[in-house]
Amino acid sequence: VCDTAHEARVIGGFSRVSHVMHLAGSLSDRLIPFLDWKSDFLPVLRPKVAGCLSLARSFPFVPITLFSSAASMVGSVGQGNYSAANGFL
């Protein structure tokens, strides 16, 4: 749940949670000099960063597995924003 407005409603539906997995991703490929913060970075960062923080806040004592990509270390042409999002995890 990336939209915090729906967070309590969705999480409140579970009686017991033993483990949480975070799988989120979005792409907006563009070379770094042409990346725009609002239209290229935020849509790619938000699912990973906001999702991770939301899960950590909602399930403080539950193990959370965060799925990332090797893109944070290796990178691909045009995916600087995706690499940064994976680096956060």
Side-chain angles (χ1 to χ4, degrees):
V1 178
C2 287
D3 186 349
T4 54
H6 301 292
E7 187 175 331
R9 182 176 54 85
V10 171
I11 292 169
F14 297 104
S15 59
R16 187 172 92 73
V17 176
S18 61
H19 193 97
V20 175
M21 297 171 75
H22 179 281
L23 300 95
S26 179
L27 294 175
S28 179
D29 293 355
R30 190 161 301 179
L31 295 176
I32 290 176
F34 305 107
L35 286 172
D36 177 67
W37 179 255
K38 220 174 195 175
S39 63
D40 297 316
F41 263 97
L42 286 180
V44 174
L45 290 174
R46 191 172 282 128
K48 288 190 180 286
V49 175
C52 171
L53 296 175
S54 174
L55 289 172
R57 191 174 46 250
S58 300
F59 301 102
F61 304 109
V62 175
I64 300 173
T65 301
L66 304 172
F67 285 86
S68 183
S69 170
S72 64
M73 298 175 68
V74 179
S76 294
V77 174
Q79 293 188 341
N81 49 1
Y82 184 69
S83 180
N86 283 290
F88 177 83
L89 297 182

